[in-house]
């Protein structure tokens, strides 16, 4: 048995960023984990996302300025399943995604790294705004 302490600390923010930004060590980042719930099929997108990055609208930024327990409504983001969607997160991160699942508390799908699609999942409360195409 190895008695050395784990060198990777279990930091929730670090775990969130690794999941969003595609760093997962030895984890399979090419697709969803076995047994993931995909009621509509939900594979990767047919190709890369659009070549532009949309600007976040001032209205959506104002609506989240007092974001205490704000979360994106699942009914609002559900039509983006199977479409290209640009997502803005708390903390200023933004990226193109292809959603395959929208649940009560989370969304999942594929995130564009700039070169390839990687599987990700995130709590809806981290999403500030989004736009789908």
């Amino acid at each position: 048995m190895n008695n050395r302490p784990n060198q990777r600390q279990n930091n929730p923010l670090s775990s969130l960023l690794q999941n969003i930004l595609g760093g997962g060590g030895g984890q399979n980042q090419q697709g969803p984990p076995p047994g993931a719930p995909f009621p509509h099929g939900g594979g990767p997108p047919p190709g890369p996302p659009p070549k532009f990055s949309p600007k976040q609208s001032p209205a959506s930024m104002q609506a989240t300025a007092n974001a205490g327990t704000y979360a994106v409504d699942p009914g609002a983001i559900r039509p983006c399943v199977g479409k290209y969607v640009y997502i803005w997160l708390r903390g200023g991160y933004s990226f193109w995604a292809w959603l395959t699942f929208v649940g009560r508390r989370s969304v999942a799908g594929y995130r564009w790294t700039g070169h390839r699609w990687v599987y990700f999942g995130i709590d809806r409360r981290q999403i500030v705004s989004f736009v789908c195409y």
Side-chain angles (χ1 to χ4, degrees):
M1 178 184 331
N2 185 352
N3 290 329
R4 292 174 41 185
N6 186 355
Q7 293 179 359
R8 291 178 68 179
Q9 294 187 8
N10 190 11
N11 180 336
L13 181 57
S14 176
S15 297
L16 173 68
L17 291 177
Q18 281 183 344
N19 195 10
I20 293 168
L21 301 176
Q27 297 175 358
N28 178 6
Q29 293 293 317
Q30 294 298 320
F38 294 116
H40 302 291
K51 294 188 183 289
F52 65 94
S53 295
K55 294 194 187 297
Q56 190 175 15
S57 72
S60 67
M61 292 186 325
Q62 286 177 350
T64 60
N66 57 359
T69 58
Y70 174 82
V72 168
D73 181 75
I77 199 167
R78 191 166 284 120
C80 294
V81 170
K83 297 179 182 178
Y84 294 106
V85 57
Y86 200 83
I87 298 175
W88 289 272
L89 300 178
R90 293 175 187 251
Y93 296 102
S94 61
F95 53 89
W96 279 106
W98 177 270
L99 299 182
T100 57
F101 172 79
V102 174
R104 278 186 31 197
R105 297 183 183 175
S106 63
V107 299
Y110 295 86
R111 183 190 62 79
W112 183 248
T113 67
H115 305 288
R116 66 186 179 108
W117 292 102
V118 294
Y119 184 77
F120 83 105
I122 191 163
D123 188 309
R124 283 188 305 105
R125 292 175 295 185
Q126 296 300 315
I127 300 173
V128 172
S129 62
F130 64 92
V131 60
C132 55
Y133 293 88

